[in-house]
Amino acid sequence: KTSISPLRKINSTINSYAIAKNKEIETLQRNAAFRREFVADISHELKTPIFAAQGYVHTLLDGAVEDVNVRDKFLKRAAKSLNNLDNLVQDLLTLNQMESGVVKFNHEVFNMIPLIEEVLEQLENKAEKRHVNIRFKYNPEKSYFTKADKDKIYRVCQNLISNAIKYNHEGGEAIIHVKSTKNHIKIDIKDNGLGIPPEDIKRIFERFYRVDKSRSREMGGTGLGLAIVKHILEGHKSKISVTSTLGKGSNFSFTLPSEKKASATEE
Ligand code: ADP
């Protein structure tokens, strides 16, 4: 009897060791699979604009260069593909830095209203080209100061407003509504554009997930914008929420903490 007990003890130690090791192996395998999938995704995404640019350049070299109209059209398309490639590499670097946790968040006190006005100014051309009407709503009597990483919040607003323009109909509308309560500032970006099918809503924050690949590429999208937005807001302990109706439009919103206007920034 006395010899069974230590044997049992050894057995259970070996068992729990095996279970722990198995878990470790499973995690390693999952990580390796994740990395393989990531590399496959990236290669595929990189190939698309490279092949397109190559195609135009080779066609030009094969003689299309002689026709002035064709030459201009193909050069513009090649330039657009290279531009998409550049956006993709930039977004990949940003996302990679975010996911590896090396990105620092520099919090400062700032007013959300001029920040959004700056984004709107930058996107003015895009909206005009696509005939999307933009409305900016807030109560001028209220304060909209927050403490956050200004550059990163700029990026969040830029991405969401740019999407409200990209995935809209000609003549559609995008409304940016900023509300302020005692503790929070809530930013809503609403469009009456294409909307998102219910089965896709959860997945649009995954890298490279797009509802309509060709439309996204046509608009210069990388499929990484919302993944970056999600990471930035997580870094602010905030979350993005979305409601959408297919064919009617979408509403993306997030909150940031309210902050008393700092004396240093007082106008
Ligand atoms: P992309 O670079 O393709 O725009 P995002 O990560 O910003 O990538 O968005 C992922 C996908 O989510 C888009 O390709 C699009 O299908 C969908 N999406 C994002 N915003 C909207 C919106 N406002 N209306 C409809 N679909 C949207």
Side-chain angles (χ1 to χ4, degrees):
K1 256 186 194 172
T2 44
S3 63
I4 293 171
S5 176
L7 205 64
R8 267 203 191 142
K9 220 173 165 186
I10 292 169
N11 254 340
S12 97
T13 312
I14 290 175
N15 261 344
S16 46
Y17 180 78
I19 289 170
K21 271 291 152 205
N22 264 340
K23 272 201 183 133
E24 227 174 84
I25 291 166
E26 268 172 31
T27 310
L28 284 174
Q29 279 171 341
R30 244 200 324 270
N31 286 349
F34 177 82
R35 244 192 326 259
R36 263 198 307 276
E37 202 188 309
F38 194 28
V39 172
D41 279 353
I42 292 174
S43 314
H44 177 77
E45 294 293 334
L46 289 172
K47 271 182 194 164
T48 308
I50 292 174
F51 279 1
Q54 258 178 344
Y56 293 123
V57 172
H58 284 299
T59 316
L60 284 167
L61 288 174
D62 286 346
V65 75
E66 306 295 336
D67 182 329
V68 179
N69 288 333
V70 174
R71 185 187 67 195
D72 282 2
K73 200 160 86 186
F74 279 24
L75 278 174
K76 274 187 193 140
R77 287 187 186 170
K80 189 174 176 196
S81 294
L82 292 174
N83 199 32
N84 285 356
L85 184 63
D86 185 38
N87 288 341
L88 179 59
V89 173
Q90 293 292 344
D91 277 0
L92 271 174
L93 289 174
T94 307
L95 192 62
N96 188 40
Q97 281 174 344
M98 297 245 152
E99 286 183 344
S100 58
V102 296
V103 173
K104 281 206 186 85
F105 285 78
N106 302 311
H107 290 262
E108 60 180 301
V109 177
F110 63 91
N111 186 349
M112 270 312 285
I113 304 303
L115 179 121
I116 292 177
E117 275 168 348
E118 213 180 308
V119 174
L120 293 179
E121 216 169 282
Q122 195 221 334
L123 291 173
E124 202 171 34
N125 271 342
K126 196 177 204 156
E128 255 173 39
K129 246 194 228 164
R130 302 205 30 79
H131 302 286
V132 171
N133 180 31
I134 297 192
R135 286 204 286 153
F136 186 19
K137 291 193 341 194
Y138 62 94
N139 180 352
E141 319 248 291
K142 286 205 163 188
S143 162
Y144 296 96
F145 278 85
T146 186
K147 190 172 188 183
D149 186 314
K150 197 174 170 183
D151 291 343
K152 293 193 181 65
I153 295 302
Y154 184 97
R155 178 77 204 257
V156 167
C157 295
Q158 186 191 39
N159 254 307
L160 296 176
I161 299 171
S162 155
N163 280 349
I165 299 169
K166 274 155 55 178
Y167 303 106
N168 214 321
H169 307 288
E170 288 236 334
E173 203 168 53
I175 304 170
I176 296 100
H177 194 171
V178 188
K179 283 170 250 178
S180 136
T181 63
K182 193 162 164 259
N183 298 318
H184 287 101
I185 291 179
K186 185 164 183 268
I187 296 106
D188 277 284
I189 291 143
K190 192 173 179 213
D191 66 71
N192 60 359
L194 309 186
I196 304 160
E199 66 272 21
D200 292 308
I201 288 195
K202 264 201 230 129
R203 304 203 57 194
I204 55 171
F205 297 96
E206 292 173 18
R207 58 183 156 82
F208 300 130
Y209 193 85
R210 294 133 156 153
V211 178
D212 179 346
K213 271 197 177 8
S214 62
R215 185 177 181 107
S216 160
R217 291 211 174 95
E218 173 64 29
M219 297 288 157
T222 62
L224 295 174
L226 287 180
I228 294 172
V229 163
K230 188 174 160 228
H231 270 286
I232 292 178
L233 291 175
E234 274 171 7
H236 285 83
K237 297 189 175 61
S238 177
K239 267 201 301 209
I240 177 101
S241 61
V242 50
T243 54
S244 188
T245 311
L246 191 60
K248 289 245 166 81
S250 315
N251 189 25
F252 287 80
S253 63
F254 64 95
T255 56
L256 289 171
S258 282
E259 183 77 17
K260 280 210 184 71
K261 193 170 169 179
S263 52
T265 52
E266 207 131 11
E267 287 124 306

